[in-house]
Amino acid sequence: MRTIRPSWLVAVAVSVGVIGAGVTELTSRASLALPVLPLNSLVTMGLIAVVCLILGLKVRRWRDGKRDKVLDPLLAARTLVLAQACAYAGAMLFGWHGGILVDQLTTIALREDLGVIWQIIALLTGGAVMVVVGIVVERFCKLPPEDNEPSAKPRPKRESHGEEEFA
């Protein structure tokens, strides 16, 4: 399984941010409410991050040598997948609410109630926390190289396929 590439996380956040800003512009023109998640979604985001972190710590403890119990390899693989999903979901949430915030920056001076802006900032923070937890837990699941394995042998040079033979 490949590791998370930070450039992919940035690409996801930026592309979803552009979509979020566009949707916000459309909802504003239609006099609809901002497409922002409710604050109670922070509880769900926090629970996902905490569960991911707890499972990651269990894998890290086993990796670092505290092998009192056998670690189920399926649990370790699922923890890795959960960590990556947490990071990508956090990038999407961060991008979506970042796009909404960028679109609303011009209207901050006109607003009497800044509650929705603080709500957007709280959800941005929750998305960033999910990204960080996902990346950290993914690193917990990485096995160190074995000392008793032979070092990687250099690849043999490619043989020419008759190109010099005809010259």
Side-chain angles (χ1 to χ4, degrees):
M1 180 172 262
R2 288 187 147 171
T3 59
I4 295 174
R5 294 183 182 169
S7 60
W8 279 92
L9 292 174
V10 170
V12 166
V14 168
S15 60
V16 172
V18 168
I19 293 169
V23 169
T24 303
E25 185 65 32
L26 291 175
T27 58
S28 296
R29 288 182 184 183
S31 298
L32 298 172
L34 288 175
V36 178
L37 287 175
L39 277 177
N40 61 5
S41 62
L42 283 173
V43 174
T44 305
M45 294 165 65
L47 285 174
I48 291 169
V50 166
V51 167
C52 185
L53 192 59
I54 289 170
L55 292 173
L57 288 171
K58 186 175 182 178
V59 171
R60 188 184 89 179
R61 194 174 313 120
W62 184 86
R63 182 197 70 185
D64 290 346
K66 294 184 182 176
R67 298 181 179 168
D68 302 335
K69 298 178 184 176
V70 176
L71 179 70
D72 183 16
L74 192 56
L75 174 72
R78 287 179 178 163
T79 302
L80 177 64
V81 170
L82 176 64
Q84 291 183 348
C86 185
Y88 281 111
M92 289 183 71
L93 289 167
F94 184 85
W96 180 263
H97 291 96
I100 294 171
L101 183 64
V102 167
D103 184 66
Q104 294 297 306
L105 284 178
T106 58
T107 64
I108 287 180
L110 303 174
R111 291 183 178 271
E112 291 178 15
D113 180 26
L114 294 178
V116 73
I117 300 299
W118 289 112
Q119 180 179 352
I120 293 170
I121 291 171
L123 290 163
L124 274 168
T125 305
V129 166
M130 286 181 73
V131 169
V132 169
V133 166
I135 290 172
V136 167
V137 170
E138 184 193 42
R139 300 239 169 103
F140 287 171
C141 295
K142 195 175 214 178
L143 290 175
E146 294 286 331
D147 290 338
N148 57 3
E149 288 183 5
S151 62
K153 296 178 183 176
R155 291 184 180 178
K157 293 184 179 179
R158 287 186 161 180
E159 296 180 19
S160 60
H161 295 287
E163 294 170 359
E164 288 92 30
E165 294 175 0
F166 296 105

